């Protein structure tokens, strides 16, 4: 078993809770990383191969993301061992049992993540009254349906494009992973006049320099088909999206897709990260040296968690969308100014200001655990 104290530092983690219910073969862990800014918010990830280590790393990422986004929330994460495609009744039983076991952990608010969805959040809400990312029928703002994260990416792209002297009107966009995040990013950027010229999914890449009809491609994807089934353009292999010459490149699929061994293939002016940790640090450094601006994940993709935090406070959909645009624009600007002033990577500048806010909040507290 991982000794969590070996990764503890000045910020956290504040608390780690292991849950084992033999009657259900439930094994799950909660890591509350830091609560100086308020109760932690973070997703529940369900997969057969999760780990405490992964949970702790993701909890820290949420601490930084929530602080950078200016939310009155700390960071936490929970993981549950199991195949998320198990029969629904069994899944509900496990999730309800886990939530019940955490009924007194007031410093953690559940959210959806890989392997869990709005229905899971509704079960948790019913069990302990503490979750975000609820279905509309249970009073939630359906953030993936509305495209909260894609909306935030678009706000970050607007600020970043100005920085590199790029007009979004007419800009060529390539998206790796045409899913919940990718398709909405394409839609909102399209409203600014940008042209989607490439999109990929697990089954291939679609490339059409004359422009792809985003609504048509989204409709096709929602029927369970692939971008490769689009009736125009050139069909290439899955990773060919990396080689497409464009102005804005958006990773919106998996972690570590751009590394030192393939970063040389990217031909873009700007990267706006939709996925979590899609590039290695070394790849980001290389792009920085080449003059390619990279807007890091926890600044650009915070739309989902901002929407969730607004939902928790009873905000309406339009208030949530306004808050996303306002916060992400301001954070992108602050990050870029600081990065220039200190001559560091944008990511480092953002980590520094997020950490400074957390440390300041910690300085007002007698104890940093709840
Ligand atoms: P999703 O499952 O809706 O979409 C992912 C898409 O990526 C799918 O179309 C899938 O076919 C494709 N894909 C998977 N592996 C691929 C690969 N190797 N190459 C090309 N395409 C591939 O997921 P999502 O909700 O859009 O999330 C995408 C990423 O964004 C994840 O990393 C997630 O953690 C991150 N993220 C999501 C949100 C949110 O609000 N949904 C918020 C913040 C971050």
């Amino acid at each position: 078993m991982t000794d969590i104290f070996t990764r503890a530092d000045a910020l956290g983690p504040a608390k780690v809770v292991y849950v084992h219910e033999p009657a259900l073969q439930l094994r799950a862990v909660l890591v509350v990383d830091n609560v100086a800014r308020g109760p932690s918010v973070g997703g529940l990830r369900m997969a057969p191969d999760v780990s405490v280590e992964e949970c702790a790393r993701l909890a820290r990422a949420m601490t930084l993301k929530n602080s950078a986004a200016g939310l009155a929330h700390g960071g936490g994460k929970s993981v549950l061992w199991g195949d998320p495609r198990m029969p629904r009744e069994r899944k509900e039983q496990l999730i309800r049992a886990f939530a019940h076991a955490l009924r007194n952990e007031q410093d953690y608010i559940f959210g959806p993540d890989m392997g869990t969805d709005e229905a899971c959040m509704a079960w948790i809400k019913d069990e302990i009254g503490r979750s975000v990312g609820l279905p509309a029928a249970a009073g939630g703002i359906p953030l993936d349906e509305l495209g909260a994260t894609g909306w935030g990416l678009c706000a970050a792209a607007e600020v970043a494009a100005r920085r590199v002297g790029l007009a979004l009107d007419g800009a060529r966009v390539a998206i790796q992973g045409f899913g919940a995040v990718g398709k909405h990013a394409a839609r909102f950027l399209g409203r600014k006049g940008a042209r989607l010229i490439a999109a990929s999914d697990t089954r291939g890449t679609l490339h059409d320099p004359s422009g792809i009809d985003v609504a048509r491609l989204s409709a096709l994807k929602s029927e369970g088909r692939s971008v490769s089934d689009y009736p125009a353009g050139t069909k290439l292999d899955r990773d060919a999206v990396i080689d497409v010459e464009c102005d804005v490149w958006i990773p919106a699929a998996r972690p570590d897709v751009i590394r030192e061994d393939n970063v040389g293939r990217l031909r873009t002016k700007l990267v706006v990260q939709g996925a979590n940790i899609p590039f290695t640090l070394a790849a980001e450094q290389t792009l920085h040296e080449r003059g390619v601006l990279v807007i890091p994940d926890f600044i650009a993709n915070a739309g989902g968690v901002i929407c969730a935090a607004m939902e928790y406070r009873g905000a309406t959909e339009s208030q949530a969308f306004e808050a996303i645009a306002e916060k992400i624009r301001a954070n992108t600007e602050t990050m870029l100014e600081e990065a220039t002033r200190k001559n560091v990577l944008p990511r480092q500048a953002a980590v520094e200001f997020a950490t400074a806010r957390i440390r300041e909040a910690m300085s007002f507290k007698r104890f940093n655990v709840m």
Side-chain angles (χ1 to χ4, degrees):
M1 197 178 291
T2 318
D3 179 358
I4 206 74
F5 290 119
T6 58
R7 18 177 337 113
D9 63 16
L11 296 186
K15 192 190 282 182
V16 181
V17 182
Y18 287 78
V19 175
H20 178 220
E21 172 50 74
L24 295 174
Q25 288 154 358
L26 165 68
R27 283 194 308 142
V29 167
L30 163 69
V31 177
V32 175
D33 184 55
N34 188 292
V35 289
R37 294 175 56 85
S40 66
V41 177
L44 164 59
R45 177 166 291 194
M46 183 171 182
D49 58 353
V50 287
S51 70
V52 181
E53 173 83 18
E54 177 186 6
C55 190
R57 278 180 64 204
L58 293 166
R60 171 58 51 86
M62 290 310 297
T63 299
L64 294 174
K65 188 187 286 195
N66 294 344
S67 168
L71 301 175
H73 287 288
K77 198 87 184 183
S78 55
V79 293
L80 195 164
W81 278 260
D83 182 348
R85 289 161 303 180
M86 66 177 56
R88 190 180 161 90
E89 272 168 33
R90 164 119 181 99
K91 188 170 178 177
E92 178 171 352
Q93 205 179 28
L94 286 175
I95 288 176
R96 280 186 182 272
F98 184 37
H100 177 77
L102 298 185
R103 65 193 177 285
N104 296 322
E105 305 303 329
Q106 300 289 334
D107 49 1
Y108 176 60
I109 301 164
F110 283 91
D113 193 64
M114 263 171 54
T116 61
D117 59 13
E118 297 166 349
C120 302
M121 294 306 113
W123 299 329
I124 295 171
K125 175 89 175 171
D126 180 46
E127 203 65 44
I128 62 166
R130 206 173 346 101
S131 64
V132 289
L134 295 163
I141 305 173
L143 57 96
D144 273 344
E145 207 178 295
L146 298 169
T149 302
W151 170 246
L153 289 184
C154 183
E158 268 185 282
V159 175
R162 264 202 307 277
R163 255 305 149 128
V164 293
L166 171 74
L168 281 185
D169 192 3
R172 297 162 303 163
V173 178
I175 297 186
Q176 182 188 51
F178 201 74
V181 172
K183 71 179 179 195
H184 290 294
R187 179 166 65 89
F188 291 121
L189 284 167
R191 285 195 198 163
K192 306 275 171 207
R195 180 161 39 105
L196 180 69
I197 61 156
S200 69
D201 60 23
T202 47
R203 287 174 274 178
T205 292
L206 162 66
H207 183 209
D208 190 347
S210 67
I212 298 163
D213 183 333
V214 175
R216 197 167 171 197
L217 187 62
S218 300
L220 188 142
K221 280 289 286 178
S222 52
E223 289 164 11
R225 293 159 71 199
S226 162
V227 295
S228 316
D229 297 323
Y230 187 80
T234 315
K235 312 300 153 48
L236 305 165
D237 69 34
R238 189 192 72 183
D239 290 343
V241 70
I242 298 172
D243 304 295
V244 170
E245 192 185 343
C246 61
D247 301 305
V248 186
W249 200 82
I250 299 182
R254 307 282 305 152
D256 293 334
V257 291
I258 300 296
R259 308 163 302 269
E260 276 168 291
D261 62 308
N262 65 1
V263 64
R265 289 166 53 187
L266 275 184
R267 287 180 294 159
T268 186
K269 299 187 178 82
L270 174 65
V271 172
V272 186
Q273 298 184 340
N276 289 317
I277 45 168
F279 291 17
T280 63
L281 201 52
E284 280 186 23
Q285 184 70 46
T286 303
L287 288 169
H288 184 66
E289 284 157 16
R290 267 174 46 194
V292 177
L293 178 57
V294 178
I295 305 300
D297 46 9
F298 73 102
I299 293 295
N301 74 16
V305 74
I306 297 172
C307 189
M310 295 293 287
E311 174 192 298
Y312 200 66
R313 283 166 181 71
T316 63
E317 183 186 313
S318 61
Q319 287 167 330
F321 270 60
E322 206 176 301
I324 293 169
E326 189 187 309
K327 283 177 187 291
I328 292 185
R329 270 196 207 112
N331 288 334
T332 308
E333 261 156 22
T334 308
M335 173 186 71
L336 294 176
E337 275 159 24
E338 291 285 292
T340 308
R341 193 172 63 79
K342 296 180 173 168
N343 193 24
V344 294
L345 281 185
R347 176 180 293 278
Q348 192 182 330
V351 167
E352 283 173 16
F353 79 69
T355 307
R357 287 179 190 170
I358 298 160
R359 284 183 185 276
E360 191 181 352
M362 289 173 84
S363 75
F364 301 126
K365 299 187 65 133
R366 188 155 68 98
F367 298 120
N368 280 295
V369 283
M370 278 180 163

